[in-house]
Amino acid sequence: MKNIPNFCPFLVKYHHNDVFLHAKPNDQMKIRLILTLSLAFLAAGIASAQSESDHNFEVKKNLDVFNSIYKNLDLIYVDTLDANEVIGTGIKAMLKSLDPYTEYYPEENMKDLKEIYTGKFAGIGSLIRYNMKIKRVVIDEPYEGMPADLAGLKKGDIILSIDDSVMTDKDVSYVSSHLRGDPGTSFMLKILRPSTGKKMQMKITRKTVQTPSVPFYGLRKDGIGYINLRQFTDECAQEVRNAFIEMKDKGMKGLVLDLRNNGGGSENEAVQIVNMFVPKGKLIVSNRGKLKRSNIDYITKVEPIDTVMPVVVLVGDMTASASEITSGALQDLDRAVIVGTRTYGKGLVQTSVDLPYNGSLKLTSNKYYIPSGRCIQAINYKHARGGYTEHIPDSLTKVFYTAKGREVRDGGGIMPDVEVQPDSLSNITYYLASSGADSTEVMLDYEVDYINRHATIAPAADFEISDEEYEDFKQRVLKSGFKYDPESEKYLKQLEKLAKFEGYYDDAKEEFDNLKKKLTHNLSKDLDINKEQIKKILASDIVAAYYYQRGAVENSLRGDKQMEKACQLITERTEYNKILRIEN
């Protein structure tokens, strides 16, 4: 009886059998109940300890087996093994069975991990790409004020060599690794400029490069402010704060915060941004995991800048992680209207753990929960059979409530309050615009020629490709030998093959023939149908050469349906107030 907790006085009183027999019936029932519960708790404790012991044994056993296997391979296997490669393959396979965010970084790759967390690296500050037509790596887009920009590099410049290393037969990753290095180090870069046919050589000094977290912000004539937040890197909240205060001082009446294509980053920065719009002391996000000490509650710490100005947040299917914390918290606290399409659905948090020999393990340690209590993780990662994924169906999501009682759901990302689908990219536009998708590179050639012919262009907000200029581009495409796979023809061929297999083709042959005539690939017609979409992409690429990323973002807002809806919500206010249950 000594293992039975003595938290009940009458159990202590009647713990001997002879006394128990003389106890009152009611007390006997109580004793039996407590004994049963105590034994159950004891059994559970034993089972838990046994389970933990079994788990620890399985871990030790498998580590011993793994160690023994490699020792025997290293000793007996017919070829000499590279430990880094063989064991590295085993590590990668193990992590692959978990989730895509858990990664091992050996010492030589620690710079990559640092770049993920800070958004900083040392190099020339330019996007590069592979030109499929000439089979060379070329400059694509220098960043404003960075070494590539200061050296005068332009879109389309062909990279010939870096110091004494020839680059004409190398891929993008190889060239990129040679352009990067320690800040302050210099190298000789040799390029060929297609527009002049001249080879140029220049000395470039590498610099710490950080892609701008806020590539563009601005105040429209109607008093609506716009902030494009590209990533949640260190101090991005201060950039957003400065932009907001500047526009507010100029009379801003409402804000559009654009988080489309923002893959996330720092949780703390997300909390600080939300804190700009909600009071001090509000719970924004909670991290919960296996280790109690890693559980964190993020609460707003300072007084907000503005708690009443209308705020609309733009989101899309690539809005993830810290972006979802920001948009989800503002939705849960009824502080902003979310516009766009369902977000990615990453409700997991990663932590870095130092490893022997200066390596690091970035591993998923927590799930996060936003103010309503929901976790918006869209995928369950299963670890059996080498790892597989299960998307959480909408039917299994649960209802939660915002501060004012609006229904929201967990699992599957953040659903916008107002869904607005963007224009989908047509097949021909994709092939024209995608690097490496088309061997003719006709779009790149046109843009490089256009930039060479025009010393200046209209302001970023106003620039567009004229109909005459588009006609010139169209004729270039027609003469270039450009080809792409029309999806409708591809599916028709598959349907025809299936109809023949199932015996329906002969009866439907006339209909198939008519469809073939209507769906026959006509490049000129496709270029006309998708004219406006292609013109917009051409304009955005060209603007970036003159006004950098800020100009490209500003230009992309022309005809943006989601942006137009956001501005309408702020200007008219009726729908905005109804969604957030704001009394007029």
Side-chain angles (χ1 to χ4, degrees), residues 231-260:
Q231 54 189 339
F232 284 82
T233 51
D234 292 345
E235 300 182 1
C236 73
Q238 188 61 51
E239 291 186 54
V240 173
R241 186 183 188 89
N242 292 342
F244 182 86
I245 291 173
E246 178 186 323
M247 292 189 292
K248 186 177 181 180
D249 289 344
K250 293 179 179 178
M252 178 169 57
K253 299 176 182 177
L255 174 69
V256 178
L257 178 62
D258 193 347
L259 298 181
R260 295 172 295 182

Side-chain angles (χ1 to χ4, degrees), residues 23-31:
K24 296 179 181 179
N26 285 344
D27 285 347
Q28 288 183 7
M29 290 179 62
K30 291 178 183 178
I31 294 169

Side-chain angles (χ1 to χ4, degrees), residues 121-186:
F121 60 93
I124 67 171
S126 175
L127 297 177
I128 60 175
R129 58 168 285 182
Y130 194 78
N131 186 318
M132 293 292 291
K133 180 180 177 181
I134 61 174
K135 303 293 189 286
R136 299 285 185 272
V137 177
V138 302
I139 297 294
D140 191 40
E141 184 185 325
Y143 295 146
E144 186 173 9
M146 288 291 108
D149 179 35
L150 299 176
L153 293 175
K154 294 183 177 181
K155 187 181 185 75
D157 285 347
I158 302 166
I159 299 175
L160 300 179
S161 65
I162 298 173
D163 284 333
D164 297 328
S165 299
V166 175
M167 295 291 144
T168 52
D169 59 346
K170 300 299 189 288
D171 60 17
V172 169
S173 62
Y174 185 90
V175 175
S176 177
S177 68
H178 282 68
L179 290 173
R180 294 188 179 193
D182 295 326
T185 58
S186 300

Side-chain angles (χ1 to χ4, degrees), residues 228-500:
N228 182 284
L229 180 58
R230 191 64 58 84
Q231 54 189 339
F232 284 82
T233 51
D234 292 345
E235 300 182 1
C236 73
Q238 188 61 51
E239 291 186 54
V240 173
R241 186 183 188 89
N242 292 342
F244 182 86
I245 291 173
E246 178 186 323
M247 292 189 292
K248 186 177 181 180
D249 289 344
K250 293 179 179 178
M252 178 169 57
K253 299 176 182 177
L255 174 69
V256 178
L257 178 62
D258 193 347
L259 298 181
R260 295 172 295 182
N261 299 310
N262 186 321
S266 169
E267 255 188 312
N268 189 53
E269 296 294 321
V271 174
Q272 290 184 53
I273 290 173
V274 176
N275 195 176
M276 290 170 53
F277 309 106
V278 302
K280 179 181 178 181
K282 290 286 186 180
L283 176 65
I284 303 302
V285 59
S286 300
N287 291 352
R288 294 293 181 267
K290 185 183 294 182
L291 295 179
K292 298 294 184 182
R293 64 176 180 270
S294 68
N295 293 343
I296 304 173
D297 292 330
Y298 289 91
I299 297 171
T300 52
K301 295 181 179 179
V302 299
E303 296 300 332
I305 303 175
D306 194 307
T307 59
V308 295
M309 181 181 292
V311 178
V312 174
V313 182
L314 298 180
V315 299
D317 59 358
M318 296 307 293
T319 301
S321 188
S323 294
E324 292 176 297
I325 292 173
T326 302
S327 54
L330 289 171
Q331 185 181 55
D332 283 358
L333 297 172
D334 297 300
R335 181 60 188 90
V337 171
I338 314 301
V339 172
T341 57
R342 185 192 296 218
T343 63
Y344 184 83
K346 181 179 182 290
L348 305 175
V349 181
Q350 282 69 50
T351 301
S352 290
V353 178
D354 293 336
L355 296 178
Y357 304 100
N358 303 315
S360 186
L361 178 65
K362 178 170 71 69
L363 68 131
T364 299
S365 56
N366 303 86
K367 289 183 177 180
Y368 70 77
Y369 300 83
I370 48 180
S372 63
R374 55 181 169 148
C375 176
I376 50 85
Q377 176 65 22
I379 299 174
N380 283 330
Y381 293 100
K382 302 294 185 179
H383 313 312
R385 305 195 302 274
Y388 63 98
T389 61
E390 289 182 349
H391 283 264
I392 300 172
D394 290 342
S395 59
L396 295 183
T397 59
K398 298 176 182 178
V399 174
F400 292 78
Y401 296 93
T402 70
K404 292 185 178 179
R406 296 187 297 141
E407 284 192 8
V408 288
R409 287 185 170 270
D410 65 356
I414 305 295
M415 280 296 295
D417 301 306
V418 180
E419 186 171 13
V420 179
Q421 292 288 340
D423 292 327
S424 58
L425 199 66
S426 67
N427 199 35
I428 185 174
T429 307
Y430 168 79
Y431 275 89
L432 282 168
S434 297
S435 173
D438 164 45
S439 60
T440 67
E441 295 284 11
V442 62
M443 180 172 276
L444 175 62
D445 286 348
Y446 177 83
E447 291 168 356
V448 170
D449 289 347
Y450 190 101
I451 294 165
N452 183 53
R453 295 195 314 268
H454 297 80
T456 61
I457 60 172
D462 304 321
F463 178 77
E464 61 180 342
I465 297 294
S466 68
D467 289 341
E468 292 77 13
E469 289 167 338
Y470 183 76
E471 184 61 29
D472 176 32
F473 172 73
K474 175 184 172 182
Q475 293 306 316
R476 289 191 183 208
V477 176
L478 294 174
K479 293 174 184 177
S480 70
F482 169 79
K483 294 180 181 180
Y484 72 102
D485 295 326
E487 291 296 306
S488 54
E489 285 187 32
K490 185 191 298 183
Y491 282 107
L492 180 60
K493 287 179 181 178
Q494 292 176 357
L495 180 61
E496 184 178 359
K497 184 178 180 180
L498 183 62
K500 287 179 179 178

